[in-house]
Amino acid sequence: MELISCLSSAMNLCVAILIGLVLILWRDTEQKLSLPLKLALSYGLGTGLVSLWMFLLGVLRLPLNFETINLPLAVFVVTMGFLLSRAPKKNAEPREPSEHFHLSMPSLVFIFFIVINLCYALWRSTQVPISSWDAFATHAFNAKIIFYEQSLQHFESMPHNNYPLHIPLLQAWFNLSRGAWDDQAILAIFPLYLISLFMVQYAFLKDYVPQQWALLSIVLLASSAFMLYHATIGYRDLTLTYYNAATIMLLIWWYRKGSPIYLNLAALFAGLTSFVKLEGAGYLLIQSILLLILLANQKQNSFRERLNN
């Protein structure tokens, strides 16, 4: 990919992160989330909001072009940014600085291994175009139709039209924002899902185990050749994994910490899980069962506390 194309792709990815970030900052009034965790969740939330907004425009039979998609989103970001700047500031939750800035030798080795694998994923996604049949037939081809038709008018005639539209709409938006269709550029969205998954998992495990053990879990995840492969070929599975894993971790965070920001984000991510792939509906059921179990356990613990008092 040329330098201008790479810069354009990077700008689109930053826009998606910014859309999700302003929404998280608006809801995280208690500042429970660390900045890396906010960024990791912002990417998934931002890309999800973009695809849902495009879906709404398509249902309303409005054109899907740069102006109708991006201008309202720009107004949303600017408005939220203005409201956030006028909101009263609150002190962030105190953290443990010593362990965050001190890296042991095993931690440095783990980080080096993770960075090498991520560099490979980023390199392959920018050098090797879509070559797997499922990635082309189930969403890249539909994304190209949406890009040139700039509507969902012919949705019923598209192949695999029973599949959720998150990835095709996102790929169409990515190239609409760039101003031209590029079969290579649409793969750039997937390594960011892998990076975001690593960051969310690390932040979650960091609450329960020492830093180097949390990093070791990311090493084990990065060691999965299948996981790394899926970050470069344009399949939906990695995106589904990110949304499902983030939902479960957010639910557990909410149960342990009690802050509503975790439950709010879990609800959004659970809904987006079902908009990525057909299997997402099954995961949504599992997530709902987990929520019911946590609510029942929370109610039982509250009853025990009242009895003890």
Side-chain angles (χ1 to χ4, degrees):
M1 295 174 66
E2 299 178 355
L3 177 60
I4 296 178
S5 179
C6 290
L7 291 175
S8 177
S9 299
M11 187 177 298
N12 286 337
L13 297 174
C14 291
V15 168
I17 294 173
L18 186 60
I19 294 171
L21 183 60
V22 294
L23 188 58
I24 290 178
L25 291 174
W26 174 59
R27 295 303 303 163
D28 188 22
T29 56
E30 300 176 350
Q31 298 194 35
K32 293 288 186 179
L33 309 181
S34 63
L35 180 59
L37 179 58
K38 286 177 182 175
L39 293 175
L41 295 173
S42 294
Y43 181 69
L45 185 58
T47 53
L49 291 177
V50 169
S51 63
L52 288 174
W53 172 239
M54 292 181 66
F55 179 71
L56 178 61
L57 292 175
V59 169
L60 296 176
R61 298 186 179 276
L62 296 173
L64 298 176
N65 54 42
F66 180 89
E67 292 78 14
T68 58
I69 299 171
N70 290 332
L71 288 182
L73 291 176
V75 172
F76 168 76
V77 171
V78 172
T79 303
M80 293 298 299
F82 175 76
L83 294 175
L84 288 170
S85 66
R86 300 295 296 272
K89 305 296 182 182
K90 293 185 178 180
N91 294 328
E93 194 176 65
R95 307 185 189 279
E96 302 174 3
S98 58
E99 197 172 4
H100 280 280
F101 291 97
H102 175 70
L103 292 174
S104 63
M105 182 56 66
S107 296
L108 291 173
V109 173
F110 294 156
I111 292 174
F112 176 77
F113 179 84
I114 294 167
V115 170
I116 289 296
N117 281 273
L118 290 177
C119 287
Y120 165 76
L122 290 169
W123 172 83
R124 193 180 193 279
S125 66
T126 57
Q127 299 300 321
V128 182
I130 292 179
S131 57
S132 47
W133 173 251
D134 285 350
F136 172 78
T138 61
H139 46 265
F141 182 68
N142 291 347
K144 200 166 189 176
I145 294 175
I146 296 170
F147 174 84
Y148 285 107
E149 293 291 335
Q150 296 193 0
S151 72
L152 295 180
Q153 180 180 356
H154 302 289
F155 171 72
E156 294 182 356
S157 303
M158 293 182 186
H160 303 281
N161 57 16
N162 62 324
Y163 275 47
L165 287 173
H166 173 69
I167 296 299
L169 289 172
L170 193 60
Q171 290 178 331
W173 166 77
F174 197 79
N175 277 326
L176 282 168
S177 298
R178 297 177 71 256
W181 179 266
D182 189 331
D183 291 316
Q184 184 68 65
I186 58 177
L187 289 177
I189 63 176
F190 296 100
L192 265 292
Y193 280 117
L194 181 66
I195 295 173
S196 298
L197 176 62
F198 285 177
M199 293 171 65
V200 174
Q201 179 172 311
Y202 172 79
F204 177 77
L205 291 177
K206 188 66 178 59
D207 286 346
Y208 301 94
V209 298
Q211 181 188 71
Q212 64 183 23
W213 293 108
L215 285 172
L216 178 60
S217 75
I218 308 302
V219 169
L220 296 176
L221 190 59
S223 300
S224 171
F226 199 63
M227 175 74 71
L228 213 59
Y229 179 62
H230 270 253
T232 63
I233 61 174
Y235 274 27
R236 304 168 186 253
D237 300 76
L238 176 63
T239 308
L240 181 68
T241 300
Y242 164 75
Y243 282 114
N244 181 49
T247 301
I248 293 174
M249 294 177 199
L250 286 165
L251 284 173
I252 297 175
W253 261 321
W254 166 75
Y255 175 73
R256 295 293 300 270
K257 299 185 178 182
S259 178
I261 179 63
Y262 297 108
L263 186 60
N264 293 339
L265 289 174
L268 291 171
F269 274 70
L272 290 171
T273 302
S274 62
F275 197 51
V276 174
K277 200 175 180 184
L278 292 174
E279 289 87 337
Y283 287 116
L284 180 60
L285 177 61
I286 295 172
Q287 294 157 2
S288 301
I289 293 173
L290 174 61
L291 176 61
L292 292 175
I293 292 173
L294 294 177
L295 286 172
N297 194 42
Q298 191 178 57
K299 186 175 182 180
Q300 185 179 12
N301 291 339
S302 178
F303 179 70
R304 288 176 179 173
E305 289 178 2
R306 286 198 296 269
L307 285 179
N308 292 334
N309 293 333

